[in-house]
Amino acid sequence: MATPAEEAKAKGNECFKKKQFHEAIEHYTAAIELDPSVPAYYTNRAFAYIKTEGFGAALEDADSALRRNPKFVKAYYRRATANMGLGKWKASKRDFEAVLKVRPNDKDAQKKFKEVDKIVRRLAFEKAITVGEAGVKRDVVQIMTEAMEKMEVKDSYDGPRLDGDITPEFMEELMQHLKDQKKLHIKYAVKILLEVHKLLSSLPSLVDITIEEDGKMTVCGDVHGQFYDVLNIFELNGLPSPSNPYLFNGDFVDRGSFSVEVMLTFFGFRILYPNHFFLSRGNHESINMNQMYGFFGEVKAKYTDDLADLFTEVFNWLPLGHLIDNKIFCVHGGLFSEDGVKVDQLRTIKRNCQPPDHGLMCEMLWSDPQPMPGRAPSLRGVGTRFGPDITAAFLDDNDLKLVIRSHEMKEEGYEIAHDGKCITIFSAPNYCDSMGNKGAFIKLDKRHEPEIVQFEAVPHPDVKPMAFAGGLSSLLGF
């Protein structure tokens, strides 16, 4: 007869199979509380945390399992994956080395060790070539500007041409061309990136938005390379225009395999409507995430390595948040580990860099709300968790009404928390073609009363998520 702890584990396993990862975590937690001596309970929960990007919590569980059994191989696997999720490639490599010490003939471990070792070597090489002999970083913007001038568009190219300014007609042609699985010519892709780089680099780190009288604003959350769902948003809610402004709240790329199409569309609209189409940086607009979850691989497969580097330069200039009518704070991740943060501080953050692992910029991209008061360490291993009292205090300190953030998949596409003062919005339905969740977006007018619109996923061409992540897709459990 199974023990109560084993019964709890079995329930967790059933939830995991159904991709109900949060419920699985609850059952594995119950098993641990009933019998904290079993390492498998911790590694099972670690895997569920990994599926929800709770890499910090997964690391803790893997360590707990190893304290109970230093030769428990699955714990090294889990810790290796969690370290990858945090961009700690060398630590991940050491974990696979530890697996091979225990099981030297494990072919799966050998394969994964070689894959991670390849990444470590590649990153070292890329770091070396990014900086020249004089120790000066390559000026990718200048390199691509000069390269663009030499690019020839042959008569056989049948896509939209961008010989002048971006127009609404060009954008409609572009979206149809991309929908038909055709590539925009690299000359025009480079031109769009260079123009948006110039625009974004002129902005503060917190951008003000004003909803016009009798106007509206649509706020969307993560889209993660799901281009065909983005087109569906525009079908449902209308194309961007001065009378139909949009804010997309970060995590435009990775996981989904049409991230290039998403970015060319978003950057095109950002240039066309600089006062009515807005983009916030998410934690996935960063090198570590792009190397791991497919965006770099996609850009390199569809275009070139240099274009991938140019995307990085542009991502570095994306604003970190937006303030709507001085009343609604929109940010990808969330709030802060310290009290008393003022919105004026956020305007002047130096953002032209990769996100650090602590501080205001990090927390804007990585933090999450929690139902209990106060703060707690992030399950992700980066950022912080903040409670309803923290949200209320931040809003009071800054004379605001509402926080809108994204960053987390929600079954219904949204979640209203913290007494209605913190809304999570997520706009990637059936996330990774497997989660079965709805997508949602928020419509706002001058009353600042959010209207939430839900929608389902639409079909897309037969290209799987993480298709350009190479061997990383299996390492990360895809």
Side-chain angles (χ1 to χ4, degrees), residues 27 48 53 55 67 106 137 145 173 182 189 228 293-294 438:
H27 289 302
E53 298 191 8
F55 300 120
R67 284 194 294 270
D106 187 324
K137 182 181 176 184
T145 300
E173 286 182 44
K182 298 179 180 180
Y228 293 83
Y293 289 100
K438 295 177 182 177

Side-chain angles (χ1 to χ4, degrees), residues 265-328:
T265 300
F266 282 2
F267 284 162
F269 277 124
R270 188 69 183 88
I271 296 164
L272 177 60
Y273 301 124
N275 299 313
H276 300 94
F277 191 89
F278 303 92
L279 301 170
S280 293
R281 191 174 189 174
N283 63 302
H284 275 265
E285 280 70 59
S286 63
I287 288 175
N288 278 346
M289 296 293 105
N290 296 163
Q291 287 170 333
M292 191 183 331
Y293 289 100
F295 182 58
F296 272 11
E298 182 183 341
V299 179
K300 292 173 182 181
K302 295 177 179 179
Y303 288 104
T304 66
D305 289 15
D306 279 344
L307 195 70
D309 291 339
L310 184 57
F311 269 110
T312 294
E313 292 298 313
V314 175
F315 286 169
N316 285 349
W317 283 111
L318 284 165
L320 304 178
H322 291 78
L323 195 60
I324 298 177
D325 284 347
N326 287 312
K327 288 299 176 185
I328 300 174

Side-chain angles (χ1 to χ4, degrees), residues 160-462:
R161 293 177 179 257
L162 185 57
D163 299 319
D165 293 335
I166 290 177
T167 63
E169 293 75 22
F170 170 82
M171 288 306 302
E172 293 201 37
E173 286 182 44
L174 173 64
M175 288 186 289
Q176 185 61 53
H177 189 70
L178 299 175
K179 184 179 180 181
D180 292 339
Q181 300 183 72
K182 298 179 180 180
K183 287 197 305 182
L184 179 67
H185 194 281
I186 188 170
K187 181 182 181 76
Y188 304 138
V190 171
K191 182 175 182 180
I192 288 172
L193 264 68
L194 291 174
E195 286 191 30
V196 83
H197 177 271
K198 182 178 180 181
L199 170 63
L200 296 176
S201 62
S202 70
L203 300 175
S205 289
L206 182 70
V207 172
D208 289 286
I209 298 174
T210 300
I211 300 177
E212 297 176 6
E213 293 296 333
D214 300 321
K216 60 181 180 179
M217 164 67 62
T218 300
V219 181
C220 301
D222 305 36
V223 298
H224 277 297
Q226 296 185 196
F227 176 64
Y228 293 83
D229 292 307
V230 169
L231 295 182
N232 187 43
I233 291 172
F234 294 155
E235 183 73 23
L236 295 170
N237 194 57
L239 287 173
S241 71
S243 62
N244 193 29
Y246 280 84
L247 164 61
F248 282 86
N249 202 27
D251 280 13
F252 319 121
V253 302
D254 286 333
R255 296 192 185 270
S257 294
F258 304 96
S259 295
V260 167
E261 290 81 357
V262 168
M263 289 321 310
L264 291 175
T265 300
F266 282 2
F267 284 162
F269 277 124
R270 188 69 183 88
I271 296 164
L272 177 60
Y273 301 124
N275 299 313
H276 300 94
F277 191 89
F278 303 92
L279 301 170
S280 293
R281 191 174 189 174
N283 63 302
H284 275 265
E285 280 70 59
S286 63
I287 288 175
N288 278 346
M289 296 293 105
N290 296 163
Q291 287 170 333
M292 191 183 331
Y293 289 100
F295 182 58
F296 272 11
E298 182 183 341
V299 179
K300 292 173 182 181
K302 295 177 179 179
Y303 288 104
T304 66
D305 289 15
D306 279 344
L307 195 70
D309 291 339
L310 184 57
F311 269 110
T312 294
E313 292 298 313
V314 175
F315 286 169
N316 285 349
W317 283 111
L318 284 165
L320 304 178
H322 291 78
L323 195 60
I324 298 177
D325 284 347
N326 287 312
K327 288 299 176 185
I328 300 174
F329 180 64
C330 296
V331 67
H332 179 71
L335 301 183
F336 309 100
S337 57
E338 296 182 359
D339 294 330
V341 173
K342 301 289 189 179
V343 292
D344 284 344
Q345 292 175 251
L346 308 180
R347 300 181 198 281
T348 58
I349 293 174
K350 294 182 179 180
R351 69 184 187 278
N352 181 25
C353 62
Q354 288 304 297
D357 59 8
H358 64 279
L360 297 179
M361 178 177 177
C362 168
E363 290 160 358
M364 292 176 78
L365 301 184
W366 280 96
S367 291
D368 296 294
Q370 64 179 14
M372 65 286 285
R375 296 182 176 93
S378 172
L379 297 175
R380 300 175 188 267
V382 189
T384 192
R385 286 187 289 165
F386 58 97
D389 54 328
I390 306 302
T391 297
F394 175 78
L395 295 176
D396 288 345
D397 286 348
N398 290 282
D399 192 26
L400 303 174
K401 292 176 60 175
L402 178 66
V403 173
I404 295 177
R405 43 91 59 183
S406 303
H407 195 38
E408 291 181 278
M409 190 277 290
K410 297 297 179 183
E411 291 292 333
E412 296 299 316
Y414 73 99
E415 181 180 74
I416 300 175
H418 295 183
D419 302 314
K421 295 179 179 179
C422 180
I423 300 178
T424 296
I425 195 73
F426 192 83
S427 303
N430 194 26
Y431 184 39
C432 298
D433 286 357
S434 63
M435 301 303 291
N437 61 290
K438 295 177 182 177
F441 53 82
I442 297 174
K443 300 181 74 169
L444 294 163
D445 59 19
K446 274 295 188 183
R447 297 171 300 166
H448 304 141
E449 295 176 2
E451 174 192 349
I452 295 174
V453 179
Q454 296 171 288
F455 58 96
E456 302 283 352
V458 296
H460 64 73
D462 188 19

Side-chain angles (χ1 to χ4, degrees), residues 73 76-77 94-104 106 109:
V73 171
Y76 289 109
Y77 272 109
R94 288 195 297 270
D95 286 327
F96 283 121
E97 287 175 334
V99 173
L100 291 172
K101 285 181 181 178
V102 178
R103 294 167 58 177
D106 187 324

Side-chain angles (χ1 to χ4, degrees), residues 66-100:
L66 289 168
R67 284 194 294 270
R68 286 155 178 81
N69 182 354
K71 293 186 177 182
F72 194 58
V73 171
K74 192 173 287 187
Y76 289 109
Y77 272 109
R78 298 291 181 256
R79 195 167 70 179
T81 306
N83 275 319
M84 283 192 297
L86 293 169
K88 298 178 179 179
W89 299 103
K90 291 181 180 179
S92 180
K93 178 182 172 181
R94 288 195 297 270
D95 286 327
F96 283 121
E97 287 175 334
V99 173
L100 291 172

